[in-house]
Amino acid sequence: MSNSALEFKDMSFGYPYENDLFMELNVAVQPGEFVSIIGASGSGKSTLFKLTVGLEEPTRGSIRLDGEKKANRLGHVGYMPQQDLLLPWRSILDNAALPLEIKGVSKKEAHKRIIPLLDEFGLNGTRDKFPSELSGGMRQRVSFLRTVLSGSPILLLDEPFSALDAITKVSMQEWLLQQWEKQGSTIIFITHDVDEALFLADRVFVLTETPIKELKEVTVPLNRPRRLEDLYSADLLEVKKDLMFELRSTIT
């Protein structure tokens, strides 16, 4: 049995009345790994997201979590979308408590568990505020806390920083790496930003031609902990150049 946190095994998928988008795809992500998935618009990133979290099912093959075939993955993979989706009428504390409440935890117990985490996630002093009172970066911190509280060791983040300004985006990338190192989760990070993919990940998977029979894999030549200046190392600039060429070749 595979020890992979996530595995696509001979997985094929296509929407009705269309050709297959994925064809007998085999990919494995290891426990505790940080993987980025990158591709041009329309390359299949969103479909891969839906398949991973269980919003779509393969037409052939299987998707395995922790080595087990999971026909129903909803609730087994924590996910964080592009928009924070915080409920505007709920306080930050109550927003963060939502995944625990869905699991049947009382509001009182959920608050008890979450309050110590607010400071750890950079949210000290926000418990009684509402989403409209927070910056975009702070709202994304709440969204990530909520994703972690789903209890899943596998977290899928779908371009969570795409709407942020450049300075806030860099700050959030550094913060995310710190949290990942503390939590030990397996993270699959979908992005269209080459610098972001390389800065965050151990490996980068590139979606290229369709049908997608394999994902081009790039191992990031950076040690951890990462520093922003590492993005300008000669080795990484060469990798970035190759990635940009690969992505440009997919645009017709």
Side-chain angles (χ1 to χ4, degrees), residues 26-52:
N26 288 283
V27 175
V29 178
Q30 303 309 313
E33 193 174 15
F34 198 127
V35 168
S36 287
I37 297 175
I38 193 166
S41 297
S43 61
K45 298 192 302 296
S46 294
T47 300
L48 199 62
F49 171 91
K50 293 175 183 177
L51 285 162
T52 302

Side-chain angles (χ1 to χ4, degrees), residues 29-228:
V29 178
Q30 303 309 313
E33 193 174 15
F34 198 127
V35 168
S36 287
I37 297 175
I38 193 166
S41 297
S43 61
K45 298 192 302 296
S46 294
T47 300
L48 199 62
F49 171 91
K50 293 175 183 177
L51 285 162
T52 302
V53 301
L55 295 173
E56 296 284 1
E57 292 298 332
T59 50
R60 296 183 299 281
S62 63
I63 298 176
R64 302 168 186 258
L65 301 178
D66 295 324
E68 296 182 6
K69 181 178 178 180
K70 292 283 188 182
N72 182 6
R73 292 173 304 288
L74 282 173
H76 292 277
V77 177
Y79 63 95
M80 178 178 171
Q82 295 179 32
Q83 297 178 324
D84 58 66
L85 301 182
L86 300 181
L87 302 177
W89 60 87
R90 277 189 166 227
S91 69
I92 297 308
L93 183 58
D94 286 341
N95 263 291
L98 191 58
L100 295 179
E101 290 179 36
I102 290 173
K103 291 184 175 183
V105 177
S106 69
K107 181 173 286 191
K108 182 178 179 180
E109 176 61 25
H111 287 183
K112 184 179 177 181
R113 295 187 196 178
I114 292 167
I115 288 172
L117 295 174
L118 293 177
D119 187 43
E120 181 179 336
F121 279 72
L123 294 165
N124 193 31
T126 67
R127 56 178 286 181
D128 296 320
K129 292 186 177 181
F130 291 89
S132 61
E133 299 177 83
L134 268 57
S135 67
M138 293 292 277
R139 290 197 298 271
Q140 289 299 75
R141 291 182 185 221
V142 181
S143 183
F144 185 67
L145 172 56
R146 196 163 62 178
T147 303
V148 169
L149 288 169
S150 69
S152 172
I154 304 172
L155 307 179
L156 193 149
L157 281 56
D158 185 14
E159 302 194 48
F161 307 144
S162 60
L164 303 178
D165 64 83
I167 295 174
T168 303
K169 185 175 185 178
V170 168
S171 175
M172 289 302 297
Q173 290 167 358
E174 292 176 317
W175 176 82
L176 176 61
L177 286 179
Q178 292 170 1
Q179 294 303 316
W180 167 67
E181 289 165 1
K182 290 179 183 176
Q183 301 292 331
S185 303
T186 304
I187 292 185
I188 301 156
F189 192 99
I190 295 176
T191 182
H192 63 270
D193 184 325
V194 172
D195 282 338
E196 182 172 62
L198 292 171
F199 181 59
L200 294 174
D202 299 308
R203 291 186 292 160
V204 178
F205 291 126
V206 188
L207 278 67
T208 53
E209 83 288 346
T210 55
I212 298 168
K213 299 178 182 179
E214 63 178 358
L215 300 182
K216 179 181 173 62
E217 179 184 327
V218 175
T219 300
V220 180
L222 290 180
N223 295 321
R224 297 189 185 275
R226 302 270 169 93
R227 302 171 302 168
L228 281 176

